């Protein structure tokens, strides 16, 4: 009994000692826990970053789409293997994308300081104009996006900017742009007819708000990646579909852009203007590719010229067809700044389409998209840059059938013009046609050269939103190329097309794009 009693008393003493030590370690008062607080200053979804007065919002979307008889993101079959309709073309193209957005805002004595960024993780079917498996290694090796390896994909950067005291610094929509950019009602990323910087351009801009919905903006845009089509040195020649090598020199000046906008309950009206510099590289360049040669530097270069563009845009809301219905339209004119008319989410396309013919092997229609052309005096030209003119109009009617279904009818018409006359080597048209004629043979009696062209698009889209932030859509679009050449000629297009007789003729194509998108 004495042994049991001793053990019991000893154990109790140990427990008391341990318990006392633990009690001594406990803080007298628990540390306060800082919970996430909702920030209602800037709309739904914002909350305070713990320990700061900065509000943050995280968001984005997941999108999966497929285009039939076209490229990714609703690109019409207007060039490359798709335009040739050859056996290397893909009958459909797909893309999956996860977009992440981050928006922070802090109230200061100078106003709100905002930062915004969007990054896309995506994978798509090879999206270039060449799908030939024999050239995939070359394509992937030169593709900055490193697309389409199994388990691959890439990260794309869209907007990355800071806003402070009316200024915007970074990668954002240009001060020239409309709020809808090139999306008045479509999902296709290839609607022509006007300006588009929906994925951002590096720029600095300032916006002054005069009250009553009236504002004005001015900015400097970096044109190097975004706002250039091509500048042809015609002495390097043109290929069978009228395309030459790009002879742009380095960037010397930013684009100067400005906008006046009126936002009211009835809608929006704005007028934009831009100035764009064209600087050629050299007079002597390697044929076809326009790459530099040993004699390039000593050959001189054309004098730099400035071009520009203007745009007017209108959005009419509260129209009597239904709640939330609206009309959006913009019209543009450019001289030496063709990207602001033949503009897409990506680079500006040139067109080369083939079809049937009742008088030749096949028919062909093409259009070269340039900011300007020049023919050096050593090659029989005037040596100065001739600016290309372009104008376009596009718009959409957007209708809500009910809270779950909506549709849009949209269209665009664009024109590209090379001024002057055939046979007059003092003009853009005369220099272009003389260069093109030197590379073809066997022309018919009714052959005529004219590099001018028009392009039209007409589309219809219907959307179903069964639950909030989940939308399924289907879009059909018709594309028409109205080219101005006539007759027939022996041409040597890129393989697998044979070198034989082709008829110059207008071309058409239709594609279907389907999409599922979940916003969060």
């Amino acid at each position: 009994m004495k042994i049991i009693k001793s053990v019991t008393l000893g154990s109790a003493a140990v427990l008391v000692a341990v318990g006392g030590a633990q009690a001594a370690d406990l803080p007298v008062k628990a540390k306060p826990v800082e919970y996430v607080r909702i920030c209602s200053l800037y709309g739904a979804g914002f909350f305070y970053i713990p320990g700061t007065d900065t509000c943050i919002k995280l968001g984005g979307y997941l999108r999966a789409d497929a285009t039939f008889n076209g490229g990714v993101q609703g690109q019409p079959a207007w060039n490359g293997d798709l335009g040739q309709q050859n056996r290397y073309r893909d009958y459909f193209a797909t893309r999956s994308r996860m977009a992440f957005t981050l928006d922070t805002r802090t109230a200061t004595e100078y106003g709100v300081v905002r930062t915004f960024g969007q990054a896309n993780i995506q994978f798509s079917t090879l999206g270039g104009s060449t799908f030939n498996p024999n050239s995939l290694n070359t394509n992937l090796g030169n593709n900055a996006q490193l697309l389409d390896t199994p388990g691959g994909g890439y990260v794309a950067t869209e907007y990355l900017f800071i806003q402070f005291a009316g200024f915007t610094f970074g990668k954002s929509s240009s001060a020239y742009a409309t709020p809808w950019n090139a999306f008045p009602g479509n999902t296709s990323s290839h609607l022509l007819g006007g300006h588009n910087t929906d994925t951002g351009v590096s720029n600095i801009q300032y916006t002054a708000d005069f009250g009553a919905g009236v504002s004005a903006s001015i900015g400097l845009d970096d044109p190097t990646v975004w706002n250039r089509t091509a500048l042809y040195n015609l002495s390097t020649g043109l290929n069978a579909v009228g395309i030459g090598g790009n002879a742009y020199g380095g960037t010397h000046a930013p684009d100067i852009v400005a906008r006046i906008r009126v936002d009211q309950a009835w809608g929006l009206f704005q007028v934009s203007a831009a100035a764009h510099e064209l600087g050629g590289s050299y007079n002597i360049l390697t044929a076809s590719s326009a790459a530099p040669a040993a004699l390039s530097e000593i050959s001189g270069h054309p004098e730099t010229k400035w071009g520009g563009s203007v745009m007017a845009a209108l959005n009419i809301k509260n129209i009597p067809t239904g709640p939330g219905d609206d009309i959006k339209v913009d019209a543009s004119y450019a001289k030496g700044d063709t990207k602001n008319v033949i503009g897409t989410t990506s680079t500006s396309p040139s067109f080369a389409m083939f079809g049937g013919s009742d008088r030749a092997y096949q028919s062909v229609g093409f259009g070269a998209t340039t900011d300007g052309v020049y023919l050096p005096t050593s090659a029989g030209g005037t040596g100065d840059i001739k600016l290309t003119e372009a104008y376009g109009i596009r718009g959409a009617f957007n209708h809500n059938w009910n809270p779950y279904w909506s549709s849009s009818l949209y269209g665009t018409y664009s024109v590209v013009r090379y001024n002057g006359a055939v046979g007059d080597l003092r003009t853009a048209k005369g220099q272009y046609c003389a260069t093109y004629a030197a590379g073809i043979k066997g022309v018919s009696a009714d052959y005529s050269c004219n590099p001018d062209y028009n392009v039209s698009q007409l589309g219809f889209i219907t959307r179903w939103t069964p639950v909030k932030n989940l939308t399924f859509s289907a879009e059909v679009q018709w594309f028409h190329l109205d080219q101005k050449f006539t007759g027939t000629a022996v041409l040597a297009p890129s393989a697998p097309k044979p070198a034989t007789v082709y008829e110059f003729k207008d071309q058409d194509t239709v594609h279907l794009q389907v999409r599922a998108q979940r916003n969060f």
Side-chain angles (χ1 to χ4, degrees):
M1 287 294 293
K2 288 182 178 180
I3 295 174
I4 296 173
K5 185 177 181 180
S6 298
V7 172
T8 302
L9 292 174
S11 300
V14 171
L15 291 173
V16 170
V18 173
Q22 290 177 336
D25 292 339
L26 288 174
V28 176
K29 184 178 180 182
K31 293 181 179 179
V33 177
E34 185 169 1
Y35 295 95
V36 173
R37 294 181 296 140
I38 299 299
C39 176
S40 58
L41 297 174
Y42 311 109
F46 282 91
F47 60 90
Y48 285 97
I49 299 175
T52 74
D53 59 354
T54 297
C55 299
I56 186 171
K57 180 179 181 180
L58 305 176
Y61 61 82
L62 196 151
R63 172 189 298 168
D65 56 27
T67 304
F68 299 87
N69 193 39
V72 292
Q73 298 272 88
Q75 175 189 327
W78 54 29
N79 56 25
D81 292 318
L82 285 167
Q84 284 197 0
Q85 295 291 290
N86 63 45
R87 289 286 296 169
Y88 292 114
R89 79 188 192 277
D90 292 331
Y91 286 17
F92 59 91
T94 60
R95 171 172 287 182
S96 298
R97 170 188 287 180
M98 173 78 84
F100 293 97
T101 60
L102 185 150
D103 191 345
T104 72
R105 308 190 192 190
T106 307
T108 74
E109 60 270 31
Y110 298 99
V112 175
V113 177
R114 183 190 184 197
T115 61
F116 183 88
Q118 178 175 332
N120 302 332
I121 301 173
Q122 57 194 33
F123 178 87
S124 65
T125 304
L126 186 63
S129 60
T130 299
F131 304 100
N132 185 341
N134 296 315
S135 61
L136 283 184
N137 290 333
T138 300
N139 288 336
L140 292 175
N142 292 319
N143 194 329
Q145 296 176 329
L146 299 177
L147 291 172
D148 309 314
T149 57
Y154 68 98
V155 176
T157 303
E158 293 203 2
Y159 292 148
L160 290 172
F161 61 81
I162 301 170
Q163 289 181 322
F164 172 69
F167 287 93
T168 299
F169 308 90
K171 191 169 185 279
S172 66
S173 277
S174 170
Y176 185 91
T178 65
W180 57 85
N181 272 288
F183 297 86
N186 50 298
T187 60
S188 168
S189 295
H190 299 82
L191 189 68
L192 309 177
H195 173 87
N196 181 31
T197 45
D198 74 301
T199 57
V201 59
S202 295
N203 72 94
I204 300 172
Q205 58 180 278
Y206 176 75
T207 298
D209 189 343
F210 302 111
V214 180
S215 65
S217 300
I218 187 168
L220 300 175
D221 294 350
D222 184 347
T224 309
V225 174
W226 194 260
N227 196 30
R228 287 177 160 192
T229 58
L231 176 61
Y232 287 175
N233 178 339
L234 293 172
S235 68
T236 65
L238 297 168
N239 66 14
V241 290
I243 308 301
N246 191 350
Y248 252 115
T251 301
H252 302 147
D255 286 358
I256 304 168
V257 298
R259 176 192 69 220
I260 298 175
R261 178 180 294 172
V262 178
D263 288 276
Q264 302 289 339
W266 55 262
L268 171 151
F269 175 74
Q270 77 169 55
V271 176
S272 304
H276 172 72
E277 183 198 45
L278 291 83
S281 54
Y282 295 104
N283 289 326
I284 295 179
L285 297 169
T286 303
S288 301
S289 66
L295 297 176
S296 291
E297 191 166 272
I298 64 173
S299 70
H301 56 81
E303 184 176 344
T304 295
K305 280 191 175 182
W306 281 84
S309 63
V310 293
M311 175 176 64
L314 178 67
N315 177 205
I316 303 175
K317 301 177 182 178
N318 305 317
I319 58 179
T321 54
D325 291 7
D326 76 340
I327 295 172
K328 297 183 179 77
V329 62
D330 55 74
S332 301
Y333 170 79
K335 187 170 184 177
D337 197 3
T338 310
K339 182 65 183 285
N340 279 340
V341 174
I342 307 297
T344 74
T345 294
S346 185
T347 56
S348 294
S350 288
F351 308 96
M353 303 170 66
F354 291 76
S357 172
D358 56 4
R359 57 180 294 193
Y361 172 72
Q362 284 183 346
S363 64
V364 61
F366 56 82
T369 301
T370 66
D371 290 335
V373 300
Y374 68 96
L375 184 64
T377 55
S378 59
T382 56
D384 62 317
I385 297 174
K386 312 293 185 182
L387 302 182
T388 306
E389 287 191 82
Y391 53 89
I393 185 170
R394 64 186 172 194
F397 165 59
N398 304 293
H399 175 62
N400 296 289
W401 301 98
N402 56 46
Y404 308 101
W405 290 89
S406 66
S407 297
S408 297
L409 177 66
Y410 66 86
T412 176
Y413 180 76
S414 306
V415 171
V416 173
R417 292 290 181 264
Y418 293 81
N419 294 321
V422 176
D424 185 353
L425 291 181
R426 298 169 299 176
T427 67
K429 186 171 292 183
Q431 293 176 2
Y432 185 101
C433 286
T435 303
Y436 186 74
I440 63 174
K441 56 185 179 181
V443 298
S444 62
D446 59 343
Y447 165 80
S448 68
C449 171
N450 188 346
D452 298 343
Y453 66 88
N454 311 325
V455 288
S456 308
Q457 293 166 277
L458 182 65
F460 182 78
I461 178 173
T462 292
R463 311 170 193 85
W464 176 47
T465 305
V467 296
K468 185 178 180 180
N469 293 325
L470 176 64
T471 300
F472 300 92
S473 62
E475 178 182 63
V476 176
Q477 184 188 120
W478 165 72
F479 174 82
H480 175 69
L481 171 62
D482 174 14
Q483 60 86 51
K484 302 302 180 181
F485 280 73
T486 64
T488 66
V490 176
L491 306 178
S494 59
K497 292 295 182 186
T500 187
V501 179
Y502 292 86
E503 177 187 8
F504 299 103
K505 190 176 180 182
D506 298 349
Q507 303 292 328
D508 299 272
T509 185
V510 177
H511 74 262
L512 167 68
Q513 183 182 13
V514 294
R515 171 177 291 177
Q517 180 164 320
R518 162 68 166 159
N519 297 331
F520 56 85

